[in-house]
Amino acid sequence: MEQPNAPAIVLLGNGGLATARRVQALYPQARVLGLAGRVEGADECYAEFGETLRELYRSDTPIIGLCAAGILIRALAPLLASKGAEPPVLALAEDGSAVVPLLGGLGGVNRMAREIAATLNVAPAITTSGELRFGTCLLDPPAGYALADIEQGKRFVSDLLGGEAVRVEGDAPWLAAVSLPLADEAQRVIHITAEARPAQRDELLIHPRAAVARIIGKASAEAIRQALADAGLAPLSLACLLATRERMVDGQLAATATELGVPLRFGADESALPPLLREADGIAIHLADAPLEPATIGQPRGRLTVIGLGPGAAEFMVPAARQALDEAQDLLGYETYIRMAGPLRPDQVAHCTDNREELQRARHAFELAASGRRVVVVSSGDPGVFAMAAAVLEALDDARDPEWLRVELQVFPGVSAALATAAKAGAPLGHDFCLLSLSDNLKPWDVIEKRLDHAGAADLAMAFYNPISRSRPWQLGRALEIVRRHRAPETLVVLGRDIGRPAERLSITSLGELTPEQVDMRTLVIIGSSLTRRVPRGNGEDWVYTPRWYR
Ligand code: SAH
C-alpha cells in the first residue's frame, strides 16, 4: 500500500496554534502551516489560503483546517465537482472544542475525526449513517485489509441499514467491537479472505493483505498478478514484494512495485517468511493466515540525499530539499545547519557533529542508509560548493562497499553563498567569474596563490569562500596582494555576511580599501572585474553589477 501523505494542519490565526500542536503530537509526520504575517511559530508559512488548500487537496494531502467549516468548503468547492483525489478534510475549532469531518469518507476522515476527538476529549461530529449505526465504517477496513469492491460495498451497507442481518466469515478482529446486526443464518456475509473470487450480491468481500511475492527472476506487474491468480489469490491480498539485496538497484522492479501499489522489501530470509504457496516462473508466493506488516519483512532500499539549505532563509531553499527534510528519518550535519533545517519532528534523529570530520559523517550517512533508513546530509548553500556532496562521493569512492552502492543517492542543489550575496548586491557575477576557497586545509597554499594569480590575470570576477579564520589569519591579506597586482585600487568589492540570516549585512568597498579586519569566516567576498560598476538604487545606496559586455 502506498504510504498516505502526512496531514497538513492549516492555521489562519495564532489562536489555534496550541490545538494544532496537540493534533501534531497525534500525527508526528504532520506539518503545521501558518498564514504568513498572521501566524508565528508554524512549521511553514503560506501566502494564500485558497490556493494553498486547493494545492494540498489536489496532491491528496489530508487537511485539518483550524477554522470554520464554511471557509474550507468555500475554498475547496471549485475542486469538488470533478473526480480526482479525495483526501480527508476536517474542520477543527481553534480551541479544540469541535472536530467536523467534511470530506474523504473513504480516505478515513471519520477515523481521523475519532482519533482527534479522543485526543481533544470531545465528541466527533460524525454524520455518516452507517458509521453511526455500527460504530465503524465498514467500507474503510483498518490497515492490512482491503475492500474488494466499493460500489458493491455501498449497496451492502445500505442493505444493513435497511434492516438486513449479517454474519462474518473469516477473521475480522476489528469487527468484534462493532455493533452489527449479527445472525448465524443471515444471508448477508462479510467475508474476509485472501482468495480470488467475484464478490457475490450479498457479500462484503474484504481481503487481508497476507501474501508476499518473492521475486526471483524478472517480473512485471502483469506477471505478478498472474502468479497471484494462479495461486488462487486476489490481487489485493498482496502485502509487498520481496527481492534479494542485489536487486535494490533494479529500477524496473521498483516501477513494478509502484504500479502494484505495494512496498518493495529486500533481503528477508526465506525462513522468516510465511509458508510457500506456489513457485513458478521466477515468482514465489508466500501466504500468511493474517495480514502481514511489510515493515517487519527485510528492509526497504535506503536513501541518502545530500541537500543544500541555501543561504539561510527558508524561502530560498529549493522545494525538493524541503521535501527530503520532511521525509528524512536521520539528519546529519553541523549542528547550526541542522538547527536551520528544523524544527525536527520527534521521530527524526539528528546526528549533529561539531568537528570537521566530514568524511566520517559521510560514512556514517552511508551506514544508516544501507540499513534502509532515509538519510539527509545537510550543507549550507549548495552541497556541491565546498561542502558535503564531494565528501559523500569521496567516501563512496574510497569504500566501494557494495551495500553503499545499492543506496539510492541523490544530490539536491541549493543557492550558494556567492549567488545569494551577488543577488543582494545586484549582479557582480554577471559576467565570467570563479569561485575560490581560501582555505588551505585541504589544498596547498601555493595552489591557491597560482589560481588567484591566473584569475586576476584573466580579469575574472572572484568569490572567496572561507576567506579567513582564527587558524588562517594571514592568508586573505596575501590573497589580496596577489589580486592587486592585476586590478586597480578602485575595483569594486562586495562583502556579504550572514546573507539570508537575521544578522545579514551587505557592504560595498574597493580593493584599495579592503582590509582583512572587515572580513570573518561568515563573510563571502566578491572581487569585481575591471568592468564591475555601481548604479544608484535611488535610496542613497548603490547596486553593483558586472556588465555582460567588454568594450
Ligand atoms: N556550501 C556553502 C559554502 C560552504 S564554505 C555554499 O554553497 O554557500 C563556508 C563559507 O561560505 C563561509 O566561510 C563563507 O565564506 C560562505 N558562506 C556560507 N554561508 C554564508 C552566508 N549566509 N553569508 C555569507 N557567506 C556565507
Side-chain angles (χ1 to χ4, degrees), residues 311 380-382 385 387 416-417 465-466 496 498-499 501 521-524:
S380 78
D382 180 272
V385 177
S416 192
Y465 287 75
N466 302 311
D498 280 340
I499 295 298
R501 302 179 193 170
M521 63 185 291
R522 284 150 69 178
T523 309
L524 187 285

Side-chain angles (χ1 to χ4, degrees), residues 146-301:
L147 184 67
D149 181 342
I150 181 71
E151 288 311 319
Q152 202 233 8
K154 285 180 184 169
R155 249 192 342 257
F156 187 90
V157 170
S158 65
D159 284 354
L160 296 201
L161 288 171
E164 293 287 347
V166 66
R167 63 198 160 87
V168 178
E169 239 176 71
D171 202 14
W174 78 99
L175 291 181
V178 173
S179 47
L180 289 172
L182 293 175
D184 287 348
E185 301 305 314
Q187 208 181 351
R188 302 289 184 291
V189 190
I190 298 175
H191 200 157
I192 319 298
T193 176
E195 256 173 60
R197 49 177 289 163
Q200 310 293 316
R201 168 71 181 85
D202 292 334
E203 186 180 53
L204 183 72
L205 191 54
I206 295 174
H207 299 300
R209 295 185 176 274
V212 178
R214 189 162 50 85
I215 311 302
I216 304 153
K218 270 205 176 335
S220 64
E222 201 35 56
I224 293 166
R225 283 194 203 100
Q226 189 57 52
L228 288 164
D230 292 344
L233 299 182
L236 284 172
S237 65
L238 185 62
C240 65
L241 303 187
L242 175 69
T244 57
R245 305 178 66 91
E246 293 73 32
R247 300 283 293 272
M248 283 182 182
V249 292
D250 182 341
Q252 196 71 48
L253 185 57
T256 298
T258 306
E259 187 182 339
L260 291 168
V262 295
L264 175 55
R265 312 284 303 181
F266 298 95
D269 218 27
E270 223 193 304
S271 60
L273 294 180
L276 178 67
L277 192 61
R278 186 176 190 278
E279 180 177 334
D281 305 326
I283 303 171
I285 304 289
H286 295 253
L287 184 67
D289 48 18
L292 290 164
E293 182 50 74
T296 62
I297 299 172
Q299 64 160 86
R301 183 185 190 191

Side-chain angles (χ1 to χ4, degrees), residues 19 53 76 80 122 126 244 275 352 361 363 411 484 501 525:
T19 306
L53 222 59
L76 295 174
L80 300 183
V122 296
I126 306 277
T244 57
C352 297
R361 187 186 310 148
R363 291 191 195 107
V411 182
R484 283 182 184 123
R501 302 179 193 170
V525 181

Side-chain angles (χ1 to χ4, degrees), residues 44 84 101 128-129 155 242 251 337 365 388 437 499 516 525 531 546 550:
E44 285 169 47
T128 318
S129 48
R155 249 192 342 257
L242 175 69
Y337 301 152
M388 282 306 294
S437 168
I499 295 298
V525 181
L531 293 174
T546 304
Y550 261 74

Side-chain angles (χ1 to χ4, degrees), residues 361-512:
R361 187 186 310 148
R363 291 191 195 107
H364 186 194
F366 271 113
E367 296 294 347
L368 288 165
S371 78
R373 308 275 293 175
R374 287 189 303 275
V375 181
V376 168
V377 171
V378 178
S379 289
S380 78
D382 180 272
V385 177
F386 312 122
M388 282 306 294
V392 163
L393 287 165
E394 282 167 34
L396 186 64
D397 199 0
D398 274 355
R400 303 277 170 106
D401 181 332
E403 292 288 341
W404 293 12
L405 288 164
R406 289 177 199 136
V407 164
E408 182 184 359
L409 177 62
Q410 306 172 311
V411 182
F412 292 162
V415 176
S416 192
L419 305 185
T421 301
K424 278 281 162 201
L429 305 179
H431 198 86
D432 298 347
F433 65 92
C434 63
L435 307 182
L436 296 161
S437 168
L438 296 193
S439 167
D440 56 354
N441 287 340
L442 297 169
K443 62 185 163 184
W445 177 252
D446 59 345
V447 170
I448 299 176
E449 287 205 357
K450 188 154 35 159
R451 288 187 182 160
L452 287 165
D453 192 36
H454 286 303
D459 201 28
L460 292 168
M462 297 175 215
F464 295 162
Y465 287 75
N466 302 311
I468 199 163
S469 76
R470 226 170 295 139
S471 60
R472 295 182 288 104
W474 56 265
Q475 282 86 338
L476 178 60
R478 175 78 190 120
L480 294 177
E481 270 173 35
I482 296 168
V483 175
R484 283 182 184 123
R485 289 191 210 138
H486 303 280
R487 267 179 233 175
E490 305 75 50
T491 304
L492 287 175
V493 170
V494 173
L495 302 178
R497 185 174 194 273
D498 280 340
I499 295 298
R501 302 179 193 170
E504 170 175 301
R505 213 170 61 212
L506 184 79
S507 51
I508 303 173
T509 178
S510 69
L511 190 55

Side-chain angles (χ1 to χ4, degrees), residues 12 60 73 132 189 238 291-292 308 356 436 450 534 549:
L12 276 167
D60 208 14
I73 293 169
L132 287 174
V189 190
L238 185 62
L292 290 164
R356 315 212 105 253
L436 296 161
K450 188 154 35 159
R534 294 175 187 253
W549 38 255

